[in-house]
Amino acid sequence: MDRCSLVRTLVNRYCAGEEDWVDSRTVYVGHREPPPGAEAYIPQRYPDNRIVSAKYTFWNFIPKNLFEQFRRIANFYFLIIFLVQLIIDTPTSPVTSGLPLFFVITVTAIKQGYEDWLRHKADNAMNQCPVHFVQHGRLVRKQSRKLRVGDIVMVKEDETFPCDLIFLSSSRADGTCHVTTASLDGESSHKTHYAVQDTKGFHSEEDIDSLHATIECEQPQPDLYKFVGRINVYNDQNDPVVRSLGSENLLLRGATLKNTEKIFGVAIYTGMETKMALNYQSKSQKRSAVEKSMNVFLVVYLCILISKALINTTLKYVWQSEPSRDEPWYNRKTEAERQRNLFLRAFTDFLAFMVLFNYIIPVSMYVTVELQKFLGSYFLTWDEDMFDEEMGEGPLVNTSDLNEELGQVEYVFTDKTGTLTENNMEFKECCVEGHVCVPHAVCNGQVLPDASAIDMIDASPGASGREREELFFRALCLCHTIQVKDDDEVDGPQKSPDSGKRSAYISSSPDEVALVEGIQRFGFTYLRLKDNYMELLNRDNDVERFELLEILSFDSVRRRMSVIVKSATGEIYLFCKGADSSIFPRVTEGKVDQIQSRVERNAVEGLRTLCVAYKTLIPEEYEGIRELLQDAKVALQDRDKKLAEAYEQIETDLVLLGATAVEDRLQEKAADTIEALQKAGIKVWVLTGDKMETAAATCYACKLFRRNTQLLEVTTKRLEEQSLHDVLFELSKTVLRSSASLTRDNFSGLSADMQDYGLIIDGAALSLIMKPREDGSSSNYRELFLDICRNCSAVLCCRMAPLQKAQIVKLIKLSKEHPITLAIGDGANDVSMILEAHVGIGVIGKEGRQAARNSDYAIPKFKHLKKMLLVHGHFYYIRISELVQYFFYKNVCFIFPQFLYQFFCGFSQQTLYDTAYLTLYNISFTSLPILLYSLMEQHVAMDTLKRDPALYRDIAKNALLRWRAFIYWTLLGLFNALVFFFGAYFMFENTTVTSNGQVFGNWTFGTLVFTVMVLTVTLKLALDTHYWTWVNHFVIWGSLLFYIVFSLLWGGVIWPFLSYQRMYYVFIQMLSSGPAWLAIVLLVTVSLLPDVLKKVLCRQLWPSATERVQTRNQCLSVEQPTVFMLSQTSSSLTF
């Protein structure tokens, strides 16, 4: 390496602020320097192997936690108010703001501190676990945190890999090992990893210590399934042997070694640079519609607060402008105070009024909402109806911040395979050279298990056809990535290749297992992969051995995979298996028309089809392919792109052999769930990578499309005949003409008097719609496409790549209506749309748990989505919307009398309530009843919500937190405040009310207003409660009792030592007055009356669907006892 490149490398390594500046890293295996003249040795500086998942340290916990908490607007606002109370002379004690703020901050800090302490504890346990290093030819035991990049590590069976390792050698002769990655992605199946070809023979510590090699690889990336690198192994020769490294050579931290005695590996990523640690990073924060509404309402109330302070400040100086109305004689200002700047005095008074009225912003609401969401999420996980006995799992809640969003969903985007279907594949038939072969034939109602082929198109195949048929079965036996293991070696899910043998097929794809199992019935059995030779048993019970030369792996873009094998006779074959759209364009020979017609027929029946092709390679041709693949595999830059280009060149000029059909059964109650969602006003879209015919058949089966649904197509086939512009405008005219003539619901297309439309679009057509036009704009086509979609009851998107799924979700999410979207899927290809949607739900399926791990919620089966949305989502939204509105309502009731009181005290900033009442109103007196209500309220029975999905429409579009509802609650609070204040004022004006002739003082007046207010807001919540339990009774009546007991205690009646000067005996004196009791009963009744009348009138004149159901249920509950009594009476009169 020349001097310039050495300097550049050093600068990048030590000075770069971001690792992205360096494209790759070089790791020296065992810290051995490369041979002289090979390359310059640069000392490595990488992090040690300590894992730090904790957020705080002992020293920075207090400042860092306080900084994070005061970033919340409400907390920061109350901190400012508290500081103002400390700095200037304000009417209320700093305790009134400081104590609630201190309570909120302390509770949150304790919770976060405890969680972080648990993380520290877990980190220490992980960092101190013992690891076996290879040093100087022997094993040394050290703590995991001392491991460095380049160290050679030995891991034994059932141990967890301490860092990310390149797999060098194994105790297995074939250089493989089996691992489980359950702690990383939840997959319990065994995965096979392969040692480097040139190092797999090093089985002892002395051998591995003599290894002289360097590894070049990419910088740390969070993607668990991608790795690019190469290893240079230095032997006695001058030129090193270069081997490519991929994800199959990488053993990840957190994975566990299984069914392998021991392995040796070299550390390449340690500590916080391991892929597991990089995946600690949280996903982007999603905010619910309720939270956004809550923040808007806070801003409104902040404006009201500022307006109140400005009005009072202005009126104070207007009122004091007359000499006779200057400060009262007992509160005269000194001359120095009078000489103060007018603006400064006004500003000080403005701040004082802000402090006086600041309780209109409820600081405790945030804590109550967080508690409600956290505790409420347990009701979902405890739901026994959503527990799947077969899997032994129930729903999971990965985030409780979006509970209420489950009640606001307008669009559901669902995957097909594994979500709507079971992903439990069963081999149905295969078509070879135009001849249909089924595993079991039925003749006269009798199953013929020995029947291997039934000709359904033309005559039985001749000799050449028989050869092609056997070649087809060999292709299926060889073109896969299945591992065969003994039953006693396998912990996870398994399928036996032969009932008489103790062995199992394991694969990441259920399709592959179904195909290999299916062809056993035709006499071909895949046995094993041993020493790079694939063995199979043919019809004559002879073992055939094929050398595995290359694997061209499957990917979702190519939608096919290939293997290159060499037979015992020296013939080299390329076998290719994939989707028909990927195979047919590359075929130059074979009975394409006959096979294609069979594929289309199977697709219409809802079967999953794959096509199989092959070509024969001559040795020279294979050598060219091998070099092409080798160059692509060892590339560090754009390796995936170069491999894809190489695959495109190789997989051409194929001979079509046949096709297979596999059935993926529809999940239990999938059709019922989709029908219920549509009745609830939710539009359901299916996004799948399958072909159009297969997906459409599934959509009909699950009732997404109905027999009277008119299908509109925007597909590649149609775009070959018409331009995209013409197709979209034609479809737009069709649907808009229908919508113009019929009144159509914007949510669902299930009305009987209207034409039902369903749209089918494929990935290629979607790319054209999303592609920017030549004039630089793409919005026209997108808007036209959205208009068509809005008028369709269901949409099917087929041939979708994972990224296109996310694009579809984003397109709808950002449309002008801004609907709430939900995405549900079970595979890694669904993660992008799950992360993109407002709510992401993972199905705990057979394609691994990547979807469940990246989702907001996870459920065992698609059918559980019905109860999750229609019942739990409905309850969550009803409860939290009432909580938010009620908090603002009770604070308007609380603070508006204080505003009115200023007109009667010369705007002197005198408080109406005692300091204790100011402090405890939101913390103690009124907080627990609304918390219990928001956890347990059921305004309609669960069974009713499941039986009548249309009730979901009543809460759609954030109905309970719209401006109309918000204004009603605010006006109700203002009305109640007026009744509290003026009712008490006029009732006791110029009236003696005690036995000794004393009149009520200002503290007694304020206590009366406060008592009426606490009773009113608590009873208002009791009137709103539909679902009563002993807990509700205990909390509601208990909170009122607590208020009375506290007032007696605070007034010195129960505890004489608390003879607080201004409140001493105030409460008991108030209750000793008859007019006070009358005032309390009368004012509470008058305050609650308008709300009761409004509810009665609305139920009678303009009832919602929910209110009609409530009325019907109440009638039934009254009728049932009556019928029971009548039946008892009649039976007693019967002789």
Side-chain angles (χ1 to χ4, degrees):
M1 181 183 294
D2 61 15
R3 186 174 298 174
C4 292
S5 61
L6 176 60
V7 171
R8 190 185 308 116
T9 305
L10 289 170
V11 169
N12 283 339
R13 188 175 303 282
Y14 295 115
C15 303
E18 296 289 339
E19 272 207 327
D20 292 342
W21 291 16
V22 184
D23 294 327
S24 63
R25 62 167 55 181
T26 302
V27 177
Y28 302 101
V29 178
H31 306 287
R32 292 170 64 102
E33 297 184 18
E39 58 179 284
Y41 175 73
I42 305 170
Q44 306 294 294
R45 286 192 60 184
Y46 298 118
D48 59 21
N49 201 40
R50 279 180 297 180
I51 285 289
V52 182
S53 62
K55 198 174 182 179
Y56 309 104
T57 66
F58 178 80
W59 303 106
N60 71 7
F61 173 72
I62 292 177
K64 190 173 181 180
N65 185 266
L66 288 178
F67 174 74
E68 289 179 349
Q69 291 207 55
F70 285 118
R71 289 172 65 184
R72 298 188 75 165
I73 295 174
N75 289 350
F76 184 72
Y77 163 77
F78 272 88
L79 176 64
I80 296 298
I81 293 294
F82 175 65
L83 293 176
V84 168
Q85 287 178 297
L86 289 176
I87 294 169
I88 67 171
D89 183 19
T90 56
T92 57
S93 167
V95 175
T96 57
S97 289
L99 189 61
L101 180 64
F102 177 77
F103 174 77
V104 170
I105 295 296
T106 304
V107 168
T108 307
I110 290 172
K111 171 180 171 288
Q112 293 179 351
Y114 175 70
E115 290 174 349
D116 206 61
W117 175 76
L118 293 178
R119 285 193 286 266
H120 271 288
K121 194 175 176 182
D123 289 346
N124 290 335
M126 189 179 293
N127 293 331
Q128 293 173 9
C129 67
V131 175
H132 293 95
F133 294 71
V134 176
Q135 282 187 356
H136 308 299
R138 59 191 181 88
L139 287 179
V140 178
R141 191 171 176 176
K142 295 182 182 178
Q143 290 184 345
S144 173
R145 61 189 177 88
K146 296 182 179 179
L147 194 150
R148 294 184 302 152
V149 171
D151 284 340
I152 298 176
V153 180
M154 187 194 76
V155 180
K156 296 180 180 179
E157 185 174 3
D158 293 325
E159 288 184 352
T160 301
F161 300 118
C163 63
D164 292 350
L165 305 169
I166 289 297
F167 183 17
L168 296 177
S169 68
S170 163
S171 58
R172 288 174 170 263
D174 59 357
T176 62
C177 73
H178 306 296
V179 304
T180 58
T181 55
S183 61
L184 293 172
D185 57 15
E187 293 189 45
S188 58
S189 60
H190 291 212
K191 297 182 176 66
T192 303
H193 288 256
Y194 302 90
V196 177
Q197 187 71 24
D198 297 273
T199 63
K200 68 179 183 180
F202 296 172
H203 297 294
S204 66
E205 291 82 6
E206 294 80 6
D207 292 341
I208 204 74
D209 192 50
S210 66
L211 176 62
H212 209 171
T214 60
I215 295 173
E216 296 173 79
C217 60
E218 62 185 359
Q219 292 290 3
Q221 300 289 341
D223 191 339
L224 296 175
Y225 311 102
K226 181 183 176 185
F227 175 73
V228 175
R230 65 184 173 214
I231 184 169
N232 304 306
V233 181
Y234 298 97
N235 298 317
D236 296 334
Q237 300 88 359
N238 293 329
D239 295 330
V241 177
V242 181
R243 298 286 183 187
S244 65
L245 299 174
S247 56
E248 70 277 4
N249 308 115
L250 182 67
L251 304 173
L252 299 177
R253 176 172 193 148
T256 305
L257 183 66
K258 291 288 185 182
N259 304 326
T260 309
E261 184 183 341
K262 66 177 182 180
I263 65 101
F264 290 102
V266 58
I268 57 163
Y269 303 133
T270 53
M272 297 309 292
E273 290 187 339
T274 59
K275 289 183 180 286
M276 183 181 76
L278 293 175
N279 277 276
Y280 283 156
Q281 297 168 2
S282 59
K283 302 182 289 289
S284 59
Q285 188 70 26
K286 295 180 180 180
R287 294 173 60 220
S288 69
V290 170
E291 187 179 349
K292 293 173 186 175
S293 298
M294 193 167 71
N295 290 337
V296 171
F297 296 160
L298 274 174
V299 172
V300 171
Y301 273 92
L302 185 60
C303 294
I304 293 173
L305 169 62
I306 294 171
S307 302
K308 281 183 177 181
L310 284 172
I311 291 169
N312 276 264
T313 304
T314 304
L315 292 177
K316 176 178 182 177
Y317 283 91
V318 170
W319 189 78
Q320 291 183 358
S321 61
E322 297 183 22
S324 59
R325 292 179 177 176
D326 200 356
E327 297 288 343
W329 61 270
Y330 53 82
N331 194 24
R332 293 286 183 186
K333 286 189 170 64
T334 62
E335 193 61 30
E337 289 177 325
R338 290 180 180 277
Q339 295 301 321
R340 286 176 62 196
N341 182 276
L342 179 64
F343 176 78
L344 188 60
R345 277 189 293 153
F347 182 69
T348 305
D349 284 328
F350 170 77
L351 292 178
F353 280 118
M354 286 282 288
V355 168
L356 188 63
F357 302 140
N358 81 86
Y359 300 96
I360 198 171
I361 308 290
V363 66
S364 59
M365 180 174 69
Y366 282 99
V367 178
T368 310
V369 167
E370 291 294 330
L371 277 173
Q372 190 270 346
K373 288 183 177 184
F374 174 72
L375 297 174
S377 64
Y378 283 100
F379 289 103
L380 185 63
T381 57
W382 291 337
D383 192 334
E384 294 181 356
D385 293 341
M386 298 178 70
F387 185 84
D388 188 77
E389 296 289 347
E390 182 184 343
M391 299 176 66
E393 298 200 57
L396 301 173
V397 178
N398 295 329
T399 175
S400 59
D401 293 339
L402 303 171
N403 291 346
E404 63 276 10
E405 206 81 327
L406 295 171
Q408 293 294 294
V409 175
E410 298 170 59
Y411 282 82
V412 168
F413 299 93
T414 174
D415 178 40
K416 184 182 79 71
T417 306
T419 305
L420 294 178
T421 60
E422 290 183 353
N423 203 15
N424 186 14
M425 309 301 175
E426 182 183 349
F427 184 84
K428 302 301 289 185
E429 68 170 50
C430 57
C431 177
V432 189
E433 287 284 298
H435 304 281
V436 177
C437 306
V438 294
H440 295 289
V442 179
C443 182
N444 297 327
Q446 299 295 318
V447 177
L448 307 177
D450 296 331
S452 61
I454 296 178
D455 181 13
M456 299 185 66
I457 294 179
D458 53 19
S460 297
S464 63
R466 182 67 63 180
E467 289 178 11
R468 286 282 178 90
E469 185 182 274
E470 292 189 355
L471 195 59
F472 172 82
F473 292 135
R474 287 190 180 93
L476 289 177
C477 265
L478 299 171
C479 191
H480 55 72
T481 56
I482 286 176
Q483 295 294 319
V484 181
K485 314 224 176 23
D486 294 336
D487 277 354
D488 55 3
E489 291 183 0
V490 179
D491 303 332
Q494 49 188 311
K495 293 202 174 183
S496 174
D498 192 308
S499 58
K501 297 179 181 179
R502 290 186 56 78
S503 56
Y505 290 145
I506 295 180
S507 174
S508 58
S509 169
D511 296 76
E512 290 193 331
V513 175
L515 290 174
V516 174
E517 281 186 323
I519 58 174
Q520 283 183 43
R521 303 170 192 173
F522 298 110
F524 286 83
T525 303
Y526 174 63
L527 298 177
R528 67 185 65 84
L529 173 65
K530 184 177 181 182
D531 297 331
N532 217 38
Y533 280 87
M534 301 180 82
E535 297 180 0
L536 60 90
L537 196 67
N538 63 21
R539 284 173 174 168
D540 301 324
N541 283 333
D542 294 329
V543 176
E544 298 181 9
R545 300 179 82 237
F546 290 83
E547 184 182 359
L548 180 60
L549 301 176
E550 301 286 350
I551 296 179
L552 282 61
S553 304
F554 174 86
D555 64 67
S556 57
V557 178
R558 284 167 54 241
R559 298 181 58 79
R560 62 184 182 275
M561 74 158 293
S562 300
V563 294
I564 301 176
V565 295
K566 186 176 182 180
S567 69
T569 58
E571 295 172 310
I572 301 175
Y573 294 101
L574 180 144
F575 292 118
C576 186
K577 175 183 70 178
D580 59 325
S581 59
S582 298
I583 299 294
F584 285 138
R586 288 163 178 77
V587 168
T588 57
E589 188 181 336
K591 296 186 179 181
V592 177
D593 294 337
Q594 290 173 313
I595 294 173
Q596 189 168 10
S597 65
R598 191 66 191 178
V599 166
E600 290 173 356
R601 176 178 172 178
N602 288 334
V604 169
E605 294 176 3
L607 301 178
R608 294 167 63 87
T609 58
L610 285 175
C611 293
V612 180
Y614 86 105
K615 72 175 178 180
T616 306
L617 302 175
I618 60 175
E620 294 79 8
E621 193 176 0
Y622 168 66
E623 281 301 316
I625 289 174
R626 190 183 64 79
E627 291 177 7
L628 182 66
L629 289 174
Q630 179 66 13
D631 291 342
K633 285 179 180 178
V634 298
L636 289 180
Q637 301 295 326
D638 300 325
R639 178 183 292 183
D640 291 341
K641 182 181 177 182
K642 290 177 181 177
L643 280 173
E645 291 172 353
Y647 294 162
E648 283 291 325
Q649 293 181 39
I650 297 166
E651 295 167 329
T652 55
D653 301 326
L654 303 176
V655 179
L656 186 62
L657 286 173
T660 62
V662 174
E663 182 183 26
D664 188 7
R665 285 188 294 272
L666 206 63
Q667 275 199 19
E668 179 191 4
K669 295 185 179 179
D672 175 59
T673 302
I674 286 180
E675 189 175 17
L677 294 178
Q678 289 181 324
K679 286 180 179 177
I682 299 171
K683 286 195 173 184
V684 181
W685 288 30
V686 175
L687 313 181
T688 179
D690 273 356
K691 61 180 68 62
M692 187 182 81
E693 295 80 9
T694 305
T698 304
C699 290
Y700 276 114
C702 67
K703 297 183 181 179
L704 184 71
F705 293 157
R706 298 166 186 274
R707 293 303 165 195
N708 62 341
T709 301
Q710 181 180 340
L711 294 183
L712 311 174
E713 293 185 14
V714 185
T715 59
T716 309
K717 186 176 180 181
R718 184 168 182 182
L719 293 179
E720 290 173 356
E721 303 167 359
Q722 287 179 278
S723 68
L724 177 63
H725 180 274
D726 294 341
V727 170
L728 290 178
F729 271 91
E730 184 179 320
L731 296 182
S732 178
K733 287 178 184 177
T734 304
V735 296
L736 293 179
R737 189 186 310 120
S738 174
S739 63
S741 58
L742 294 167
T743 303
R744 161 178 210 98
D745 191 302
N746 190 42
F747 285 113
S748 177
L750 297 175
S751 304
D753 60 342
M754 50 167 282
Q755 177 62 55
D756 196 16
Y757 290 106
L759 179 68
I760 300 178
I761 183 171
D762 62 15
L766 179 67
S767 297
L768 292 174
I769 291 172
M770 301 296 289
K771 184 180 179 181
R773 297 169 65 182
E774 293 179 359
D775 58 0
S777 67
S778 62
S779 57
N780 289 348
Y781 284 162
R782 291 184 188 182
E783 286 302 319
L784 199 57
F785 173 67
L786 284 172
D787 284 338
I788 296 169
C789 292
R790 289 187 193 105
N791 289 282
C792 292
S793 60
V795 178
L796 165 63
C797 303
C798 51
R799 299 295 195 196
M800 289 281 135
L803 187 59
Q804 287 182 314
K805 292 184 178 184
Q807 286 178 336
I808 282 280
V809 176
K810 188 175 183 179
L811 183 68
I812 298 299
K813 190 171 80 169
L814 299 180
S815 61
K816 60 185 178 183
E817 296 91 357
H818 295 289
I820 304 300
T821 58
L822 179 147
I824 178 170
D826 71 318
N829 60 333
D830 302 315
V831 170
S832 55
M833 74 169 180
I834 285 172
L835 294 176
E836 184 63 49
H838 291 95
V839 183
I841 296 184
V843 177
I844 307 169
K846 297 183 179 179
E847 290 189 12
R849 301 204 180 187
Q850 298 98 315
R853 187 167 57 91
N854 287 278
S855 63
D856 303 305
Y857 303 89
I859 54 178
K861 295 286 177 64
F862 181 77
K863 66 178 181 180
H864 298 134
L865 185 65
K866 177 181 176 181
K867 189 173 185 182
M868 176 179 260
L869 297 187
L870 304 187
V871 178
H872 290 289
H874 198 121
F875 283 157
Y876 282 142
Y877 179 75
I878 289 287
R879 292 164 180 170
I880 201 166
S881 57
E882 175 90 8
L883 185 153
V884 171
Q885 298 280 31
Y886 179 79
F887 250 99
F888 286 118
Y889 155 78
K890 71 185 182 73
N891 278 47
V892 170
C893 293
F894 179 45
I895 214 64
F896 197 65
Q898 180 73 71
F899 172 73
L900 297 174
Y901 187 58
Q902 296 308 301
F903 290 84
F904 295 86
C905 67
F907 305 101
S908 62
Q909 299 150 12
Q910 170 65 36
T911 59
L912 178 61
Y913 313 116
D914 179 63
T915 300
Y917 290 158
L918 284 170
T919 305
L920 297 178
Y921 176 74
N922 278 316
I923 293 179
S924 302
F925 299 149
T926 60
S927 60
L928 212 52
I930 184 59
L931 177 60
L932 260 294
Y933 174 96
S934 65
L935 288 173
M936 306 187 69
E937 171 64 1
Q938 295 182 21
H939 64 302
V940 179
M942 280 191 183
D943 292 338
T944 306
L945 289 177
K946 283 196 290 187
R947 192 170 56 249
D948 190 358
L951 296 178
Y952 194 84
R953 295 172 182 239
D954 278 1
I955 60 171
K957 295 282 187 183
N958 207 11
L960 302 183
L961 288 175
R962 289 179 185 166
W963 286 108
R964 183 178 177 182
F966 172 70
I967 291 170
Y968 169 75
W969 279 88
T970 303
L971 291 177
L972 182 64
L974 290 174
F975 171 78
N976 288 354
L978 289 169
V979 171
F980 303 155
F981 184 82
F982 288 108
Y985 177 78
F986 288 119
M987 187 161 286
F988 297 109
E989 187 180 19
N990 301 323
T991 306
T992 57
V993 292
T994 58
S995 57
N996 59 4
Q998 290 181 337
V999 296
F1000 278 171
N1002 68 312
W1003 295 119
T1004 312
F1005 175 75
T1007 303
L1008 176 62
V1009 172
F1010 191 83
T1011 303
V1012 173
M1013 176 175 57
V1014 170
L1015 289 170
T1016 300
V1017 298
T1018 306
L1019 292 175
K1020 156 70 176 163
L1021 191 64
L1023 288 173
D1024 286 348
T1025 303
H1026 295 88
Y1027 184 71
W1028 284 93
T1029 64
W1030 69 267
V1031 181
N1032 296 77
H1033 283 290
F1034 176 78
V1035 169
I1036 286 179
W1037 313 124
S1039 65
L1040 294 177
L1041 182 63
F1042 173 75
Y1043 166 67
I1044 294 169
V1045 170
F1046 175 82
S1047 297
L1048 294 173
L1049 176 68
W1050 189 245
V1053 177
I1054 296 177
W1055 193 357
F1057 302 105
L1058 273 176
S1059 54
Y1060 182 53
Q1061 186 178 352
R1062 66 188 185 193
M1063 291 300 292
Y1064 186 65
Y1065 261 72
V1066 167
F1067 189 74
I1068 195 65
Q1069 277 193 339
M1070 182 193 75
L1071 293 183
S1072 65
S1073 165
W1077 283 96
L1078 177 63
I1080 291 171
V1081 173
L1082 191 60
L1083 294 180
V1084 169
T1085 305
V1086 172
S1087 298
L1088 295 175
L1089 192 60
D1091 190 48
V1092 173
L1093 290 175
K1094 178 253 181 188
K1095 288 181 177 178
V1096 171
L1097 289 174
C1098 286
R1099 279 178 180 270
Q1100 294 298 321
L1101 301 178
W1102 311 283
S1104 65
T1106 304
E1107 289 169 341
R1108 283 195 291 269
V1109 168
Q1110 288 171 341
T1111 305
R1112 187 165 64 246
N1113 290 343
Q1114 288 169 357
C1115 293
L1116 287 173
S1117 63
V1118 172
E1119 286 174 6
Q1120 285 173 354
T1122 307
V1123 171
F1124 175 76
M1125 290 172 64
L1126 289 171
S1127 64
Q1128 292 296 311
T1129 305
S1130 62
S1131 63
S1132 64
L1133 293 173
T1134 303
F1135 298 98

